[in-house]
Amino acid sequence: MIVQLKPSISPAEKEAILQKIRSLEYKTTEVRTQKGDYLVGIGKKEFDVRQLGHMKGIADIHRVSDDYKLVSRKWKVERSHIDLGDGVVIGNGSLSIMAGPCSIESEEQVQQIIDHLVRNKVRIMRGGVFKPRSSPYAFRGMGVEGLKMWYKLARKAGIKIISEVMQVSQIEAMHDYVDVFQVGARNTQNFNLLDELGKVDKAVMIKRGISGTIEELLYSAEYVFSAGNEKLMLCERGIRTYEKASRNTLDVNAIPILKEKTHLPVIADPSHGIGIREYVEPIALATVMAGADGVIYETHQKPEEAASDGQQTLNFEESEELINKLRKTFELRMSF
Ligand code: PEP
Ligand code: MN
C-alpha cells in the first residue's frame, strides 16, 4: 500500500495515520523524495481503504500488489519523465538518444564526439571515467579529472552528461559534473550505492544486472526511489545467456514488460546488448519498436583505436545513419 501525503500534513496527523496503519498490522516506511511524501505499507491483511481514506493529511491511497511499490505502475499509471534542463527531457513521449564513447580518453576525442553529437542534434553524451573492467590490466578510466575536462567542453555545447559511478565515494566527486549517474550492470545490486544515490538530487539510470532478472532490476530502482530520488530510469543492456555468438543477449522482451510494470522511463543499450558493431543498428531499431523511451550506444571517431569496447563501437558515419534510422523508426512507432 502507498499512502500519498499532502504537503500540508501536520506531525500529529501523520502520527495518527501511522498508528492506524500499524493497527492494521502493516509495517510502514516513511519516504520523502524531492517530489513528495509517502508512507509505504507492507502487510497481508485485507482491509477497507476507506478506514484510512477519511484521515486528514492523506492525498491518495493505492493498493499495490507488487512487492516493489513506488516504482510500480499499479499506483502511478501516467509515466514519469526526467527533466535534465535546457529542454532535455527523458520519458516525455519523445525518443532520447544518448551516445558517446565507452571511455573518455582525451580532450581531442571528447571534442570530436561533441561536434558529432551537435551536428546530429543529440543532446546527451555517454562516457565512462571510472571503468569496470574484467581485467585489472585494462584501461580503467581517466577519473574525475577526465570528467571535469569533459564537463567543460560539454557545457559549452549544451550537451548533458551521463557517466557511470562505481562506488559511494565517487558520488560527491562526480556530482557537480554529471547530469545522470549511471549504475552499471556489475553494480545493479550494490545496495549501499543505490541507497546513497537515493539522497542525490541528480537523475540516475540503473542498468540491468549481467544475470539479473527484470524483477531484481525493479527492486534496485525501488531502493533509489524509497531513499528519496524519483529521477530514475532503467536500462536493458543484455544479459548473460548460454549463447556465445554475441557478447550478451539483449532481452527485447524486457522492454514492453518493464513499460507495463513500471512508470519509469526505459532505455535500451544495444552496444553492450549484442557487443558486435554490425548488429548494433538492427537491435537498436528493434528496441525502439518494442517501446523504448531512449537508446544509449557507443560511438568514437576511430573505434578501432578506442581504449575499450571498440568492437561494439560505431564510427561517426554509422552513428549518423543510426540516429536517422532511430528517429524514423520512432516516427513509425508513433504513427501506429
Ligand atoms: C558501459 O556503459 O560502458 C558499461 C560498462 O556498461 P555495463 O555496465 O552495461 O557493462
Ligand atoms: Mn562499454
Side-chain angles (χ1 to χ4, degrees), residues 260-273:
E260 171 61 30
K261 289 187 181 295
T262 180
H263 52 84
L264 302 175
V266 177
I267 310 299
D269 175 348
S271 304
H272 296 85

Side-chain angles (χ1 to χ4, degrees), residues 102 126 131-132 164 182 184-186 207 237 272 298:
C102 181
R126 61 142 289 144
K131 296 305 302 176
E164 176 165 357
Q182 173 175 317
R186 290 154 193 82
K207 287 190 158 194
R237 51 77 74 197
H272 296 85
E298 291 177 339

